Structure formats: C-alpha cells, structure tokens
Amino acid sequence: MQTHEISRRFLTHFTNAGHTEVPSASLILDDPNLLFVNAGMVQFKPYFLGEAPPPYPRATSVQKCVRTGDIDEVGKTTRHNTFFQMAGNFSFGDYFKAEAIEHAWNLITGSQESGGYGFDPERIWVTVYLDDDEAFHLWQKIAGMPAERIQRRGVEDNFWSMGVPGPCGPCSEIYYDRGPEHGREGGPVVDEDRYLEIWNLVFMQNERGEGGAKKDYPILGELPAKNIDTGMGIERVAYLLQGVDNVYETDLVRPVITKAEEMSGRRYGAGNPVDDVRFRVIADHARSGVMLVGDGVTPGNEARGYVLRRLLRRIVRSVRLLGVSEPVLPEFAAVVRDTMGPSYPELVKDFPRIESVVRNEEETFLGTLASGLKIFDMAAGEIKSSGGSQLPGDKAFQLHDTYGFPIDLTLEMAAEKGLSVDEQGFRDLMAEQRARAKAAVKKTGHGDQTVYRDLLALGATEFTGYQELDTEAVVRGLVREGVRVPSAVEGDIVEVVVDRTSLYAESGGQESDAGLIVGDGVELEVLDVQKVARKLWVHQARVRRGEVTEGLAVQTRVDPEWRIGARQGHSGTHVVHAALREVLGPSALQSGSYNKPGYLRLDFAWSGALSPETRSEIEEVSNLAVRNDLPVRVVYTDMGGAQEMGAVALFGETYDETVRVVEIGGPWSRELCGGTHVERSAQIGPLTLIGESSVGSGSRRLEAYVGMDAMRYLAKERALVQNLASMLRVPDEDVPARVEALVERLRQAEKELDKLRAAQLLSSAGELAGAAEDINGTALVALRAPDGIGGNDLRTLAVEVRNRLGSRPGVVALFSADGPKVAFVVATTAAGRDAGLAAGKLVPAFAPSIGGRGGGKPDMAQGGGTEPGGIDAAITALRGALAS
C-alpha cells in the first residue's frame, strides 16, 4: 500500500466518523516553546488548553512534523528520522477513551477491501499507563485483547506531554509484532525493535508545568474538558504494509537513495555499513530540508535557519564521502518534490524558489568547506608540531559554529591525522550555546497565558477597526504583572481586555495601533496591543487620569493620523510584493514583513543582490500601481476558495476557518491578510525604496518609505544633492562624476602614502638590526612599532630586519596597536632555526599578555590580540622564553 494511500484511508476513516478534516499546519508556528511543529496536536493546542473555543467538536489531520533532538543519530539507526507525517484524530470534549480505542482498532484491523489497513489482530500488542485500569479493560472489551498482550508502563513511556508546559495525560500505545526474526519474545517492554509502535492514543485530561521533558514535572490541574489526541506514524505503517525493513526503503524515501546510488556508483545495502549510514542521512535530510524550505525556512546561523543549514550541509558532506564532487542538492530536491508532491502540491508550485535556496546554500557551503579545511589543517599541524595529540574542544566548536562542520566530520578528519578530539569540551560549548538560545526564547516568549483563560471563556474580542476608529466597549478584565486585578489608577501600566475594540493588534507584520481608551473620568494611553490565542485583544496601557475598573463602559479610540500611515504602510507592502513578483517572477515570494506608519520592510526569497536597474524597475512598477488608483477589495472565504482565487498565503502564518483576502487591482495583488488597508491604491502616496540587503542565505530584504515619509526622504535627498553640487560647484547632474573623480584621486593619494610609509619603515630596518640585544647568543629585535601598522607592513619590515641580522641566530618580533587591537609578527633567521628556534612555537610564550592568538611556520608567524596595553609584557615574556 502506497504511503499517499495510507494517509487517504486515515482521513477517510475519520471523516466518515464525523471528524472535520483539517489541513496540515505549517512546520513553523508562533509558539515560543517550539522550534518546529513536532506533533499533530500543536495547531489544536489553544482548544485543548481552553484558550479558544474549538470550531468543531472532533477533527482529523495528517500533520507535517520535524523533530531535531536526534539529528546526530539519523542514519546510524533505521528508527531516527527528522521529518515524518503524523496522522491524528482529535476530540475536544466530545468523546473519550472508549471511542478513541474503537476508532483505532477498526482502522488498523479492518480489511483493506473495506478501507482499513488489514493488520493481523493476533500480532497487535498495546500498552497502558500503570494505573489506567479503565483503558486496560476497554481494550479487552472492544478489541477482545487478551490480558497478556496488554502491558502497563510508567510515566516515561505512557504518560504523554509535549516536553514543555501544556496539555498532558495518560496514553495507550499500539504496537505491531514484526516476528521472531526481529527480536526477543515478551512484548514492547522487552523489545521495541521487534514490537514496533505505530499509534499513540493520548487521553488528554491534565495540564503540566515546568520540569523534565518526560518526568519530574508538576501536574497543575485538570483541563477544562477531557480530550483525545492521537498520533499514528504514517511512515511506520508504510514500511510495515510495504513489506520492507525500515522507513528508508519505503516508496517516498527510497527514491532519494536511488538517486544517490546513481550519482555515486555505490549501492545501498551492499555490505558497507558506513556507506549505508551516509545514504540514510542523505535520504532523511533531503526530505526534511525540502519540507522546511517549502514552509519558508531559509538557512542561517540561528534557530530554525541553523537547523536547516546543518541538515543540508550534512547531505553535502555525506555525498562527498560517497565520492561525488559535483553539486547535488537541487537534484535531491527534485526527487523529494516528485515523491511528496501528491500530498503537498505546494512543493511543485513553489519548486523554483526551493531549488534556488538549496542551490545557493550548497554553493556557500562549498566555499566555507574549503576555508574550514584550511583552519583544521593549520590547527592539526600546530598540535602535531608541538607534540600534542588532541584537537581542543574550542577548535572543534569553531569549525562547527563558523564553518558548519558537524562534529562527526571533525572527528573523522582528526582520525585521519592521527588525532583525537576533546569531545567533552566541544559538548560543553554546545551546551552553553543551547542554554543561551533557550534563554533567548524565554525572553521573547509570550509568557504564562493561563491568567487569560477566564477572559477567553467570555468569548473572543470583537474587532471593529475595519469599519470605524471609535468603538463603544466594556472592560472585561485587567491584568498587571501576570495577575488579574480589579482596578488600576493614574500612573499604572496595566493590560486591558475589552469586549470590542477598534485598535488593531500587532500581527501579519503590522504594528499595533496607537490610541486611547477613555471612559467617565478615565483616560488610558494605549502603548501596545497583542493577541492571545488569536482570539483575545490585550491592550497594554498607561492610566493617564482616573481609575479604570472591570465592568467600566469605555470607548476605544484609534489615533487617526497613525491609522492613515499604517494603512499606507501595509498596502504599500502588498504593492511592493506584487511588483517584485511581476519583475522577478512568481518564485520571489514574501517570507516576512514589517510595516508601520510611513515605512515598510519586506523579506523575500531570492539569491543574489538586485541590480540598481532591477530596484528601479520594482520602484517604478509600484508607483505605477499607485498612480493608476487601483481598487482595493476585501473578500471573505474559506482556505479552499482563497486558493482557487490564487491568493498568496504567507509562510508560517496560521489561518482561521474563514480567511480574509485583500485584493489590489484584482488578481494583480491578491493575498491572505488581516491588516488594515487603504480603499484605493492612490491613497498610499509616493513610494520610494531606501535599501536592499541580505538577511541570510537565499533571502533578501527591501525597505521603503510611503506617503509623507517618502516625500520627506526625497526632499532630504534633494537637499543633499544640492549641497554637494554647491560645494563642488557643478550642476546637480554632474555630482556623481565629480565625486567619482575625487574618490579616484583620494585612492591614488592613499597608495602613494602607503608607498612612502613602507619606504620609511624599511629605511629603519638597518638601525633596528644594529640595536639587537643578545640573549644567550640569540640576537633579539623586539619592539612596539608605530600604531596603526597592519600585518602586511609588519611582515615586510620583519623580513627586512631579519635579513639585516645576517648569519646570526636571531628572532624579530614586532607589535603594532590599532585602537583596541594588536597585530604582531615573529620571524627567525636560518641560524636561529638551526639552533631550534621556531617562530610558531614562540607565540604561546607571549600571546596571553596581549589576549592574542596566532601561529605559523618555523620561519614566520603572525596573529593578533585584543589587549594593546600588554605589548611591553609580551616583549618581556619573549625575552624570558629565549633566556630559559
């Protein structure tokens, strides 16, 4: 049975049982606790927590998932995968244990002719939580499961949570016995390779707090309702039904290995276990990488981008070890597109962008790979020449962090040089990096939202800002420092929740509105507006006068000037996006945006800087759209209707059942958007691009001013040109040529100065050599050269001084400070080297004094430091080293 058919049967089974089919959410959702969506229930989390009312009592989905905790284990086993598909059925207070068990049993054991999977009931085993007698007896009653095939397990195995604060509860797992050839008798508690878990039924009834991922966390209480969350591994069911040994041999994964075989001329499963690991790494990471890029992740050095970069670079390294030297990522991406496209057609539609991102990353890595290899070779050479045998942990971390070298690559290269690696030191530095990342996530997260649960129970905030600027409302609740309070007085900063509001909450890249909340004798200045659970508008406000209390009748008032500018900025973003796609093509998709009154910033998928001509064309197309006064229309529909209209959905955004489509000029610009917009494009006013830059591999950023801000910017630019023209005494149009001529004259003058300075330095070489001091028969020239001399000039001077020392054993050490930095060069004469003096080995004697590091060969070494005040101490340390 093909994998796509397995997914189809699952969804059909549950829609026939009254479940609403919900499309897979993006792999990236706005959840501060998660890097990627890692379970089917993530998009339903607000419903389980009671933060928002569910739009349906029961649902089913096949969710894209990525888990990154075991990246280093991928390929070494046949059980670890980063990307997988989790099929699930969910009940939001509708049904509980009995129905969940019955639904699952009927699907897995139902005949294939009737739409089931046709598993042999006699080979099914289940586990339940230690004290869950109810689930134990339900399996006996519903499935006729004998007691000996129902096993009880503890909290680490059969009490489920996401590993972070949130919903949790006991669970029951379904296993399939693969047969005695795969392991020992005795059920899942004895051997989980033979007895393979295929489905987990979570009876979600509790909420957990902070603590360990699998245990040692408090249960904060019961959820508002008893819910069902299940997860069936599509890939695991596939390899059982397809009669293969593991997921890598299933119909959606094996084609990537086949492509790698064609490229390398080697064969998977041919008896070389090391090659087999590499094939599996390629297959897993290619699929994960394409799915992540498809959902808008671009390679980078932090968070999601770093994970993607690591996956793609592990593919490149694995392919190189299989003997392939040409670029490979676009070809692997095409295989993934063809295999996954039937379930995820957006991969086919968006493939030009996906291909561009992975190609650019491979080209970038091949460059850093060469640089990293040089760093490694230099470090390995220094270690071996000094008699060492271990690469330090900080060096391994540098290769990993700066050049993208996985630790297994560093270990392999070190072994080839006869060196070991300080793995513990490396892992300590990695742990510090992870701790910093977690701290950053907590710092930027949304905090504890349980205080809003009672307010959410009163219903969603009604947003009226599309129709009016002032709205009558009632204060439902006040929150200060995470606690509900009955009132707030003048000077207090408090979070205000009202039943209706005209103030826009920050979302979709648009800043929140500025404005006021006023009532009888009360005035509050609104500082910020945020959404909680996508349903509740929370206004952070400062009480200017009076006392605000729960139940008070108030009015929300939007600053009209702010709203005019905000509408211009957001509509301008749509116009620039449409202009981009017109000029560059449909693959130039927006990947992020930010707009506020008079300003917009748009990130888009593209590799390589835009030429000035292209930028001018984008700007012209945008302003033509403004001049043509295009109509702006809003359409409300469902996701299917929006897709039929050709509306663009943005990466990482989460949409409700009903979506809002904003059109500017009909099909010219058609996007899903909840922001505030102008009524016709001419209201945007002039639009001027002010910058274009890189924001990561395969991603660019455009910035622009609109409306009066664009006018002010252009006036400032005009004044600047006029001032330059006046100073240069040329017409405005001649300013660029005149400036270019002046810059060229300045460049030539700097070259002449460099020559004069080099000649002046070299002229002092004889004097410096003549003043050499004798230390145990070695002529030492060690001094602080004038500040601001770079490494190249120091090196030239050191060589000249060394030459002037003639046949004497000698050492030349020159230092120069440049602000907070130090450059140094050490050179030895031939006689000095014959006497056992090596420049590279002398550096460690003085480098700590200047906070420096460096190295080189026996005849020449150079480097830098960060403590200019330590130069005299460094010279003293060098004298001491020669005297010892």
Side-chain angles (χ1 to χ4, degrees):
M1 187 180 297
Q2 299 297 296
T3 302
H4 297 304
E5 175 64 11
I6 292 169
S7 298
R8 188 196 67 78
R9 288 184 180 225
F10 188 95
L11 295 172
T12 299
H13 176 79
F14 282 101
T15 53
N16 288 342
H19 294 67
T20 298
E21 181 180 337
V22 180
S24 171
S26 167
L27 285 165
I28 49 176
L29 289 183
D30 184 19
D31 189 319
N33 294 310
L34 292 175
L35 200 61
F36 302 112
V37 169
N38 63 357
M41 59 77 62
V42 172
Q43 67 170 315
F44 304 114
K45 188 176 173 182
Y47 310 147
F48 288 128
L49 283 172
E51 294 175 344
Y56 25 66
R58 54 179 72 181
T60 184
S61 70
V62 175
Q63 174 65 47
K64 300 176 288 188
C65 298
V66 167
R67 293 181 182 174
T68 59
D70 295 319
I71 287 178
D72 291 327
E73 296 302 313
V74 169
K76 296 177 184 178
T77 74
T78 57
R79 292 187 296 108
H80 290 93
N81 299 113
T82 49
F83 173 84
F84 59 96
Q85 299 172 93
M86 184 176 288
N89 57 289
F90 310 91
S91 166
F92 312 111
D94 184 28
Y95 62 80
F96 203 46
K97 292 181 184 179
E99 293 89 340
I101 291 172
E102 184 174 8
H103 286 314
W105 182 253
N106 290 341
L107 178 58
I108 61 175
T109 62
S111 70
Q112 293 189 5
E113 293 75 18
S114 64
Y117 294 140
F119 283 111
D120 181 356
E122 300 301 317
R123 299 177 72 171
I124 301 296
W125 290 63
V126 298
T127 61
V128 297
Y129 186 54
L130 279 175
D131 60 3
D132 194 349
D133 294 333
E134 180 185 7
F136 190 101
H137 295 310
L138 284 170
W139 276 111
Q140 290 181 309
K141 177 182 177 182
I142 293 170
M145 187 76 68
E148 60 270 18
R149 295 214 309 270
I150 307 174
Q151 298 184 321
R152 297 179 185 264
R153 305 186 80 169
V155 66
E156 291 189 54
D157 295 296
N158 274 71
F159 197 92
W160 185 91
S161 81
M162 293 176 61
V164 294
C168 64
C171 62
S172 179
E173 295 175 325
I174 303 173
Y175 292 79
Y176 181 77
D177 181 3
R178 300 167 67 202
E181 66 273 20
H182 293 282
R184 297 171 294 165
E185 298 276 357
V189 298
V190 174
D191 190 334
E192 288 200 8
D193 280 328
R194 171 175 171 174
Y195 301 90
L196 184 74
E197 179 195 345
I198 58 174
W199 205 339
N200 187 10
L201 313 180
V202 179
F203 310 130
M204 196 181 292
Q205 57 196 61
N206 305 108
E207 182 179 357
R208 60 157 286 181
E210 294 278 0
K214 289 186 173 285
K215 61 178 183 177
D216 300 327
Y217 50 78
I219 300 298
L220 303 180
E222 297 280 325
L223 291 174
K226 291 183 177 181
N227 308 302
I228 289 296
D229 157 36
T230 84
M232 187 193 82
I234 290 289
E235 284 77 9
R236 291 192 175 188
V237 172
Y239 79 71
L240 289 174
L241 292 180
Q242 291 174 19
V244 295
D245 287 335
N246 56 69
V247 67
Y248 295 98
E249 298 176 17
T250 58
D251 60 315
L252 299 189
V253 185
R254 186 59 169 85
V256 179
I257 294 178
T258 301
K259 173 59 71 173
E261 289 176 324
E262 294 172 1
M263 291 177 169
S264 66
R266 303 189 192 182
R267 291 291 172 264
Y268 178 67
N272 186 332
V274 176
D275 278 359
D276 286 351
V277 169
R278 292 165 183 160
F279 279 118
R280 288 194 287 266
V281 166
I282 293 166
D284 174 87
H285 291 3
R287 199 160 70 135
S288 301
V290 169
M291 300 305 292
L292 288 172
V293 175
D295 276 357
V297 184
T298 55
N301 291 325
E302 296 181 0
R304 297 174 178 126
Y306 179 74
V307 172
L308 173 60
R309 169 160 287 169
R310 187 178 177 199
L311 293 171
L312 297 179
R313 292 185 172 189
R314 278 170 61 91
I315 297 172
V316 175
R317 173 61 181 169
S318 297
V319 170
R320 294 300 178 274
L321 293 173
L322 289 174
V324 182
S325 57
E326 64 268 15
V328 297
L329 290 185
E331 291 198 56
F332 288 140
V335 175
V336 175
R337 172 202 61 196
D338 294 341
T339 56
M340 301 299 291
S343 287
Y344 305 102
E346 62 271 18
L347 296 178
V348 179
K349 180 181 179 182
D350 200 24
F351 188 71
R353 181 189 63 86
I354 295 170
E355 183 183 40
S356 174
V357 170
V358 299
R359 177 186 289 109
N360 188 64
E361 178 62 17
E362 184 165 20
E363 291 172 354
T364 301
F365 181 47
L366 291 177
T368 59
L369 186 63
S371 302
L373 287 172
K374 291 178 182 177
I375 296 295
F376 173 82
D377 289 339
M378 183 181 297
E382 290 177 7
I383 293 165
K384 298 192 79 171
S385 64
S386 63
S389 62
Q390 186 179 67
L391 186 74
D394 62 344
K395 186 63 67 175
F397 181 76
Q398 179 192 7
L399 288 167
H400 170 85
D401 199 46
T402 305
Y403 298 102
F405 280 38
I407 185 62
D408 55 347
L409 169 56
T410 303
L411 289 168
E412 186 171 335
M413 293 190 303
E416 292 170 356
K417 298 281 188 181
L419 299 173
S420 62
V421 178
D422 177 14
E423 291 187 69
Q424 188 56 50
F426 167 81
R427 298 191 190 286
D428 288 344
L429 289 168
M430 286 295 294
E432 291 176 15
Q433 187 185 64
R434 290 192 189 100
R436 289 193 297 270
K438 287 182 179 179
V441 168
K442 288 184 178 180
K443 184 177 180 181
T444 58
H446 299 308
D448 183 7
Q449 296 183 355
T450 56
V451 68
Y452 304 109
R453 185 173 295 158
D454 291 342
L455 295 171
L456 280 161
L458 298 175
T461 304
E462 180 186 352
F463 177 60
T464 64
Y466 295 136
Q467 298 84 30
E468 58 190 21
L469 296 181
D470 300 340
T471 291
E472 302 297 329
V474 174
V475 176
R476 281 182 170 173
L478 303 169
V479 177
R480 188 166 60 232
E481 297 178 354
V483 178
R484 285 280 296 275
V485 294
S487 63
V489 296
E490 186 173 329
D492 287 346
I493 294 179
V494 65
E495 293 180 349
V496 183
V497 177
V498 292
D499 60 341
R500 305 170 74 240
T501 183
S502 53
L503 290 149
Y504 184 81
E506 180 182 348
S507 61
Q510 180 177 332
E511 271 197 5
S512 61
D513 277 332
L516 301 172
I517 299 176
V518 299
D520 187 13
V522 177
E523 181 177 282
L524 294 87
E525 176 190 5
V526 176
L527 308 175
D528 188 24
V529 190
Q530 295 291 329
K531 292 181 186 179
V532 171
R534 303 186 355 232
K535 300 292 184 183
L536 205 65
W537 268 239
V538 178
H539 308 71
Q540 184 186 59
R542 178 187 291 111
V543 183
R544 285 182 173 177
R545 61 183 176 87
E547 180 181 11
V548 60
T549 60
E550 289 194 1
L552 181 68
V554 294
Q555 187 180 64
T556 63
R557 295 179 181 174
V558 178
D559 180 335
E561 287 299 314
W562 178 280
R563 177 62 73 80
I564 289 172
R567 295 167 73 196
Q568 290 175 316
H570 204 148
S571 296
T573 306
H574 285 225
V575 165
V576 172
H577 188 203
L580 262 176
R581 289 163 59 78
E582 179 175 323
V583 173
L584 299 180
S587 62
L589 276 173
Q590 177 181 327
S591 56
S593 68
Y594 168 74
N595 56 82
K596 63 180 182 179
Y599 170 85
L600 67 91
R601 184 182 74 207
L602 186 144
D603 297 343
F604 61 100
W606 198 255
S607 58
L610 303 183
S611 68
E613 295 77 14
T614 300
R615 288 175 52 182
S616 294
E617 186 177 359
I618 293 167
E619 188 175 65
E620 182 172 350
V621 171
S622 298
N623 280 292
L624 282 172
V626 172
R627 188 197 68 178
N628 291 335
D629 197 21
L630 303 173
V632 177
R633 185 172 78 110
V634 173
V635 178
Y636 290 91
T637 182
D638 58 17
M639 198 64 180
Q643 290 172 341
E644 288 179 10
M645 293 171 65
V648 176
L650 302 184
F651 300 123
E653 289 290 328
T654 302
Y655 298 101
D656 294 326
E657 291 293 299
T658 300
V659 295
R660 183 173 183 259
V661 178
V662 176
E663 291 183 346
I664 301 178
W668 184 72
S669 171
R670 189 175 274 158
E671 297 186 25
L672 273 67
C673 182
T676 58
H677 288 273
V678 297
E679 294 164 359
R680 297 190 68 86
S681 65
Q683 295 171 357
I684 296 172
L687 184 151
T688 182
L689 297 182
I690 60 171
E692 190 262 340
S693 59
S694 170
V695 285
S697 177
S699 185
R700 308 293 298 179
R701 171 172 291 171
L702 279 175
E703 295 178 90
Y705 286 134
V706 295
M708 290 303 299
D709 288 86
M711 291 289 291
R712 296 185 188 103
Y713 175 81
L714 292 172
K716 184 178 177 182
E717 293 285 294
R718 183 177 62 230
L720 176 63
V721 172
Q722 290 174 343
N723 287 338
L724 283 172
S726 176
M727 287 187 289
L728 297 172
R729 297 183 179 181
V730 297
D732 291 0
E733 61 270 19
D734 291 344
V735 167
R738 187 61 181 272
V739 171
E740 185 178 357
L742 288 173
V743 169
E744 180 59 29
R745 288 172 57 186
L746 180 60
R747 188 180 296 115
Q748 293 301 323
E750 288 175 343
K751 287 182 180 179
E752 291 299 320
L753 284 173
D754 288 341
K755 290 179 182 178
L756 289 171
R757 183 170 60 179
Q760 186 178 18
L761 284 171
L762 292 176
S763 69
S764 66
E767 181 182 346
L768 294 175
E773 57 184 305
D774 185 276
I775 300 179
N776 287 346
T778 298
L780 172 65
V781 178
L783 57 89
R784 176 172 184 157
D787 290 352
I789 298 178
N792 289 337
D793 288 339
L794 277 183
R795 186 184 182 99
T796 301
L797 180 58
V799 170
E800 188 62 26
V801 174
R802 178 178 65 183
N803 292 340
R804 299 295 181 94
L805 292 176
S807 60
R808 289 182 288 171
V811 175
V812 181
L814 304 179
F815 301 82
S816 177
D818 187 3
K821 297 182 179 180
V822 181
F824 68 81
V825 174
V826 182
T828 58
T829 63
R833 294 192 293 279
D834 291 341
L837 296 173
K841 291 185 178 180
L842 290 172
V843 172
F846 64 79
S849 299
I850 56 172
R853 59 193 302 174
K857 298 177 180 179
D859 65 323
M860 181 74 70
Q862 65 186 94
T866 57
E867 298 176 21
I871 290 178
D872 291 341
I875 293 172
T876 300
L878 180 56
R879 288 194 183 104
L882 293 175
S884 60

